[in-house]
């Protein structure tokens, strides 16, 4: 689907179409991040362990990541606009169920259901951009889609924090409903239907196998730090591995594969896919751990911690136009490396400068660098995917772009959360053992203290004479755990830099490869009337 034209084309009323698609994507992006700010209150409401809180935080990403390849292919075959509208409609009961969940288990299920609804709608947004825009116009549209979507996700903590000042924790899951209504109305009115859709049969068996592969992988990572869950982790890992092997074999033999492995093996495609997973996973991991750090360690309110991340969406939006220009002029490789460098600096600030008495400038600097990194890297990562596939396979590209956020977010957030949990528990255990009062701490109390910061705060409230010591120990334990998480994120980012530096083609070679891909791909069918860029 490479397009090396210098003019580019866009649909009729391109601004309204793009606004509709960005709003639909915004519903998913906002839902991804609103839970993070509410995690401390959710933990207190349900007396949840840190591991359960990790599951609630990752539930939406889990549902979206597990379904996105399957549902993206269904959209390519059965109608992208139809899937978009159906997903928006299903999102309503998912939000309501999350808001009024009676237990943390139900809340986790509601988050997964919300992710499934996003899996129906979110992939179609990038698919339609790829089908409706060409050339530099597509790069600019993707830059706006990526940066605004990321900014909305980063604004989620602020919106959730403001909501928690006035309402109960469940209200954060109702925030997307007004945007959802507007997005649905605009999509019905302005988004074209049946644009370059393939009409090939859907590989439903391959779709089911993709769901089991991704869901098993994400859940195995999440259950790993939980006590006495070794059997469950092993079982989930076996399911993920077996389903993954079966999926690859199925795609090699199927006449109409769900995920064309020949296309996926294109260097521009697979390197960009992996590179994007690290970038967007870093964003989700930083929002997840950072919110808990600010509230638990620095003592920020939910509103203050939400406002603290504002430099991130601001820098995402400011860097998007530059990212589009850099990608067109210098290539995706250069722009990805610029973004990665900013992300690396961000986590270095977190590792070295985030401590119990850290001033806000240190927090704001880390989030500003992270926003710049995602702003620069998001456009070339998504553009490389859409330009590497035939337009009738846009769902495959958009599904992979979604996996960059959702699978990358789920896995990296889960790994960072697991390291935080393990480090917190180990540090608290050592502090209890070294305390002069160790003999007076019962096993049940010690287990409660090691469960999570919220559980330790509840214990401190029950033992006011020891409240200061318990709270200080919990903060020290959290800081020990989050240092492990930041260090792991730095290792992942360095790996991503090495991947892009050595394996992603330089600009001239990238253009030659995209032209080669386009010559070998089938020509698309007729599209609806389109206008030159700037028209309509």
């Amino acid at each position: 689907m490479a397009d090396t034209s210098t003019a580019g084309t866009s649909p009729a009323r391109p601004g309204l179409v793009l606004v509709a698609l960005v709003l639909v994507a915004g519903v998913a992006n906002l839902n991804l991040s609103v839970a993070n700010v509410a995690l401390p209150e959710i933990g207190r409401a349900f007396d949840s362990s840190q591991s359960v809180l990790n599951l609630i935080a990752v539930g939406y990403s889990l549902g979206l990541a597990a379904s996105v390849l399957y549902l993206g292919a269904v959209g390519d075959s059965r109608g992208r606009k139809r899937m978009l509208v159906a997903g928006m409609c299903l999102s309503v009961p998912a939000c309501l169920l999350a808001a009024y969940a009676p237990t943390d288990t139900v809340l986790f299920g509601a988050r997964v259901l919300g992710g499934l609804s996003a899996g129906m709608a979110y992939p179609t947004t990038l698919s339609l951009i790829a089908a409706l825009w060409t050339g530099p116009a597509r790069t600019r549209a993707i830059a706006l889609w990526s940066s605004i979507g990321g900014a909305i996700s980063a604004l989620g903590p602020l919106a959730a924090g403001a909501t928690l000042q006035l309402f109960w924790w469940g209200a954060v899951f109702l925030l997307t409903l007004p945007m959802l209504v507007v997005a649905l109305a605009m999509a019905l009115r302005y988004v074209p239907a049946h644009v370059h859709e393939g009409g090939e049969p859907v590989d439903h068996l391959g779709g089911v196998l993709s769901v089991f592969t991704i869901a098993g992988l994400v859940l195995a990572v999440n259950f790993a730090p939980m006590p006495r869950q070794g059997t469950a982790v092993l079982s989930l890992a076996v399911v993920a591995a077996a389903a993954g092997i079966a999926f690859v074999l199925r795609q090699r033999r199927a006449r109409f594969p769900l995920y064309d492995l020949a296309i996926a093996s294109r260097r521009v495609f697979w390197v960009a896919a992996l590179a994007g997973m690290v970038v967007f996973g870093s964003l989700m991991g930083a929002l997840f751990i950072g919110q808990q750090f600010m509230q638990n360690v620095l003592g920020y309110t939910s509103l203050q911690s939400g406002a603290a991340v504002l430099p991130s969406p601001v820098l995402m939006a400011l860097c998007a136009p530059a990212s589009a220009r850099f990608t067109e002029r210098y290539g995706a490789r250069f722009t990805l490396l610029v973004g990665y460098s900013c992300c690396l600096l961000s986590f270095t600030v977190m590792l070295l400068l985030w401590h119990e008495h850290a001033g806000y400038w240190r927090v704001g600097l880390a989030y500003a660098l992270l926003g710049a990194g995602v702003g620069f890297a998001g456009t070339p990562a998504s553009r490389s995917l859409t330009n590497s596939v035939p337009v009738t396979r846009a769902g495959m590209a958009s599904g992979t772009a979604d996996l960059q956020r959702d699978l990358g977010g789920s896995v990296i957030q889960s790994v960072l959360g697991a390291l935080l949990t393990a480090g917190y528990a180990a540090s608290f255990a050592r502090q209890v053992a070294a305390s002069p009062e160790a003999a007076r701490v019962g096993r049940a109390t010690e287990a409660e203290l090691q469960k999570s910061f919220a559980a330790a705060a509840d214990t401190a409230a029950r033992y006011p004479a020891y409240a200061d010591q318990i709270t200080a120990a919990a903060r020290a334990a959290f800081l020990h755990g989050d240092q492990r998480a930041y260090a792991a994120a730095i290792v992942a980012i360095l790996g991503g830099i090495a991947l892009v530096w050595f394996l992603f083609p330089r600009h001239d070679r990238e253009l030659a490869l995209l032209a080669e891909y386009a010559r070998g791909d089938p020509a698309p069918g007729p599209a609806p009337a389109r206008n030159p860029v700037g028209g309509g």
Side-chain angles (χ1 to χ4, degrees), residues 52-353:
V52 172
L53 292 177
N54 292 352
L55 285 174
I56 292 171
V58 83
Y60 195 89
S61 294
L62 170 64
L64 181 50
S67 64
V68 73
L69 292 182
Y70 189 10
L71 297 179
V74 173
D76 277 350
S77 177
R78 300 291 183 259
R80 297 174 185 134
K81 182 174 181 177
R82 184 183 304 170
M83 290 293 290
L84 184 153
V85 171
M88 289 289 96
C89 293
L90 181 60
S91 184
V92 175
C95 290
L96 293 173
L97 181 60
Y100 297 100
T103 67
D104 51 9
T105 302
V106 173
L107 177 55
F108 169 66
R111 294 289 287 166
V112 173
L113 178 63
L116 291 174
S117 72
M120 301 173 71
Y122 192 44
T124 62
T125 58
L126 184 57
S127 295
L128 285 163
I129 288 174
L132 291 167
W133 279 267
T134 64
R138 179 189 294 161
T139 303
R140 291 191 294 271
I142 290 174
L144 289 171
W145 173 85
S146 176
S147 63
I148 295 175
I152 290 174
S153 180
L155 283 171
L158 174 60
T163 300
L164 289 173
Q165 297 297 303
L166 301 173
F167 305 103
W168 88 114
W169 60 263
V172 301
F173 300 111
L174 304 177
L175 284 173
T176 57
L177 293 182
M179 183 188 295
L180 189 154
V181 172
V182 176
L184 180 58
M186 291 192 68
L188 288 169
R189 177 70 178 85
Y190 298 115
V191 174
H194 307 299
V195 183
H196 293 321
E197 293 168 358
E200 296 177 349
V202 178
D203 178 17
H204 293 292
L205 176 57
V208 172
L209 290 172
S210 74
V211 170
F212 277 97
T213 300
I214 298 170
L217 174 62
V218 173
L219 288 174
V221 173
N222 270 275
F223 278 110
M226 295 185 184
R228 297 180 298 277
Q229 294 295 330
T231 301
V233 171
L234 180 60
S235 300
L236 288 165
V238 169
V239 168
I245 293 171
F247 176 75
V248 171
L249 294 175
R250 170 67 181 175
Q251 299 316 291
R252 286 180 174 176
R253 298 174 181 175
R255 182 181 176 188
F256 300 104
L258 181 87
Y259 200 79
D260 193 320
L261 297 181
I263 293 175
S265 66
R266 294 172 174 177
R267 186 150 60 110
V268 174
F269 186 95
W270 73 264
V271 176
L274 292 178
M277 284 186 181
V278 175
V279 170
F280 291 111
S282 299
L283 171 65
M284 299 308 297
L287 291 173
F288 170 61
I289 294 180
Q291 287 299 316
Q292 295 181 76
F293 166 76
M294 287 184 283
Q295 293 186 50
N296 294 339
V297 177
L298 298 183
Y300 286 14
T301 66
S302 54
L303 179 60
Q304 289 171 330
S305 63
V309 305
L310 275 178
S312 186
V314 170
L315 267 292
M316 284 184 205
L318 291 177
C319 292
S323 176
R325 291 193 300 270
F326 284 10
T327 302
E328 288 293 329
R329 182 175 300 178
Y330 305 113
R333 178 179 181 271
F334 173 85
T335 315
L336 279 168
L337 289 172
V338 171
Y340 262 112
S341 299
C342 294
C343 291
L344 180 62
L345 289 173
S346 173
F347 276 94
T348 302
V349 169
M350 296 178 197
L351 179 67
L352 300 179
L353 301 182

Side-chain angles (χ1 to χ4, degrees), residues 3 14 32 117 148 224 273 301 314 363 382 391 494:
D3 193 325
L32 277 170
S117 72
I148 295 175
T301 66
V314 170
V363 175
S382 298
V391 70
L494 288 173

